[in-house]
Amino acid sequence: MSEKNEAMLRRNQANYAGRNVLSGFLFGLGLIAFIDEVVFHQLLNWHHFYDLSTTTVGIVSDGFFHAFSWFATVAALFMVADLRRRQSFWLRRWIGGMLTGVGFFQLYDGIVHHKWMGIHQIRYGVDILPYDLVWNISAFILFIAGIVIWRQTSQVKKQRAAV
């Protein structure tokens, strides 16, 4: 890549830094919602998105949850296509946004859905504490890793703006 093209790429990445994070965040939400839906709802059949009613209502709620994961993923990929068209896609920053989205979703699900609202649990009929600990601690680690990467790229953005 020529020096002129490299300078243009860095300038474009700095101009669209927020959009890189947002598309990664949306992709992370969609990805982890998809994994949650397929693994815990369908393959293991441990719970449905909404377990406070009949099984039929639980399956319908899973459908809405699955649709959410697809819309978030598709929207994120359209944003990535636009970033690539503008020659402003920033992979490292996007990964930071993605990890933040994954961790945020898992923390939100583990704290708000599982504990505060009680609309479902990870699993029923077992000691739930080990499941909750693994779920929320792994979510927290992913969330913090995403924030750290995001902050590192923010410092790079400031350095690029200063040049």
Side-chain angles (χ1 to χ4, degrees):
M1 181 179 292
S2 73
E3 195 170 298
K4 183 179 175 183
N5 287 342
E6 179 119 357
M8 182 184 74
L9 175 64
R10 289 176 183 215
R11 188 175 54 248
N12 288 347
Q13 287 176 337
N15 288 339
Y16 291 97
R19 199 174 295 187
N20 274 282
V21 170
L22 179 60
S23 67
F25 186 84
L26 277 176
F27 188 83
L29 288 179
L31 175 67
I32 200 64
F34 176 80
I35 291 170
D36 184 11
E37 171 68 24
V38 170
V39 173
F40 297 104
H41 297 213
Q42 295 174 351
L43 294 176
L44 296 173
N45 202 17
W46 282 0
H47 64 263
H48 297 290
F49 184 75
Y50 187 76
D51 280 335
L52 299 179
S53 184
T54 64
T55 301
T56 302
V57 171
I59 291 171
V60 170
S61 70
D62 285 346
F64 283 112
F65 182 55
H66 206 60
F68 162 77
S69 73
W70 260 113
F71 286 127
T73 304
V74 169
L77 293 177
F78 270 106
M79 291 176 75
V80 168
D82 183 57
L83 289 166
R84 292 184 61 85
R85 183 183 62 81
R86 295 173 190 267
Q87 297 179 340
S88 58
F89 182 65
W90 192 348
L91 180 62
R92 185 167 171 77
R93 192 162 173 92
W94 188 86
I95 288 172
M98 186 208 43
L99 290 174
T100 305
V102 168
F104 174 81
F105 178 86
Q106 286 297 96
L107 275 177
Y108 178 81
D109 192 37
I111 294 169
V112 175
H113 291 156
H114 297 176
K115 299 302 164 201
W116 185 47
M117 296 172 70
I119 62 173
H120 66 258
Q121 294 295 325
I122 298 170
R123 194 167 182 194
Y124 297 98
V126 297
D127 179 14
I128 196 68
L129 182 62
Y131 293 91
D132 283 340
L133 289 175
V134 169
W135 190 276
N136 290 318
I137 290 172
S138 64
F140 183 74
I141 290 169
L142 289 167
F143 184 75
I144 294 300
I147 295 291
V148 166
I149 293 171
W150 186 9
R151 294 280 303 153
Q152 287 173 343
T153 58
S154 292
Q155 291 169 352
V156 170
K157 179 185 166 197
K158 287 178 186 172
Q159 291 169 352
R160 289 177 179 175
V163 174

